Amino acid sequence: MGDYVIYDTHCHLTDEKFDFDRDKIIENLKSNSVVKAMLPSDNVENSIKAIELSGKYDFLYNAVGIHPEEDSRFTDEDISRIEELADNPKCKAIGEIGLDYHYEHDKDKQKYLFEKQMQIAERKNLPVIIHTRDAIQDTYDILKKYPNVRGIMHSYSGSYEMAMKFIDLGYYISFSGVVTFKNARNVKETCERLPINKILVETDSPYLTPHPYRGKRNEPKYVNLVLQEVSLLKKMSEKEAAQIICNNADDIFGW
């Protein structure tokens, strides 16, 4: 860790895996150079928890939204509730939203849910945090329909060519602990080739723990390990990379 500050732009601090030490982890963030963090949501209940938690700490912010894997459970009432919750003053994005075809899901329901929340983002003038798995072309096709909405491709693992297409739509590309994995050559190569002024870093904690802690619970402080790998790939000092990446986050979240 160097003489810089950094943000974790995606950490699930409301997750039950943090129930026994959540406040301790949050209170130790600044001593680990993490000065801002974004709490994304998966459903209405989680959105409310993210709002409550970000209300307790001045350096935490929230995003409200319904994850695509909620396709069998969400209702139109839930979508309306997300729109209401988006008025919270510390809500800086709609997310995480998108498409996930990895398991057997109702693709039509996912697309409906995705578009309804894209429309909320457009009405509220908020960016979106996008989850996409095994659905990158359909995700792109939907995002393209909303040229007034900007956002973040969360924990990106697609190709460089697709990343540039998302950037052309006004999106930032966010890298998680996956970029530190020795076998993630395609993710490393994409990061290496992308312009630094379009990159963000995140942990997606408690998931996707970076090397060398892979297999253990992830924490927001490990965003430093993601930054170190990104700066290495970009052949920059950690301080220089951190400053640009923080500016990128300030731009998209307006915090």
Side-chain angles (χ1 to χ4, degrees), residues 5-180:
V5 296
I6 192 61
Y7 308 152
D8 185 352
T9 61
H10 196 109
C11 50
H12 295 276
L13 282 170
T14 56
D15 191 281
E16 61 186 14
K17 291 184 177 71
F18 293 115
D19 282 354
F20 65 95
D21 62 352
R22 181 177 291 108
D23 287 327
K24 183 181 175 185
I25 283 173
I26 295 169
E27 284 156 12
N28 287 338
L29 280 183
K30 288 187 178 178
S31 63
N32 286 284
S33 302
V34 183
V35 296
K36 287 181 185 175
M38 168 58 77
L39 314 181
S41 302
D42 301 325
N43 51 41
V44 170
E45 180 188 12
N46 200 243
S47 296
I48 293 167
K49 286 181 181 176
I51 285 171
E52 289 171 351
L53 188 57
S54 64
K56 286 176 65 178
Y57 296 93
D58 62 349
F59 56 96
L60 298 184
Y61 297 84
N62 71 78
V64 300
I66 303 171
H67 192 282
E69 289 187 308
E70 296 281 320
D71 58 350
S72 64
R73 293 183 286 272
F74 80 90
T75 64
D76 283 334
E77 189 180 332
D78 291 334
I79 295 170
S80 298
R81 188 79 177 103
I82 291 297
E83 183 150 17
E84 292 168 8
L85 293 171
D87 289 331
N88 178 266
K90 294 198 83 177
C91 176
K92 299 298 180 183
I94 302 297
E96 61 187 276
I97 65 174
L99 300 173
D100 192 320
Y101 297 166
H102 189 66
Y103 300 107
E104 194 170 323
H105 285 287
D106 188 325
K107 293 181 181 180
D108 289 336
K109 275 191 171 181
Q110 284 198 5
K111 289 176 182 177
Y112 173 83
L113 175 63
F114 188 11
E115 292 220 38
K116 286 291 183 182
Q117 293 182 101
M118 287 296 294
Q119 290 159 17
I120 292 172
E122 190 170 47
R123 287 193 291 271
K124 300 289 184 183
N125 194 27
L126 287 170
V128 288
I129 298 170
I130 300 299
H131 171 105
T132 182
R133 185 160 62 156
D134 299 343
I136 202 157
Q137 187 61 50
D138 282 359
T139 301
Y140 174 79
D141 291 343
I142 287 175
L143 295 182
K144 197 174 179 182
K145 291 164 68 174
Y146 298 90
N148 296 326
V149 180
R150 300 165 70 219
I152 295 161
M153 302 307 297
H154 139 68
S155 189
Y156 188 76
S157 60
S159 68
Y160 165 77
E161 289 75 18
M162 279 305 299
M164 290 306 297
K165 289 178 78 171
F166 288 119
I167 286 171
D168 287 345
L169 292 182
Y171 285 72
Y172 284 91
I173 307 300
S174 184
F175 292 99
S176 65
V178 175
V179 78
T180 71

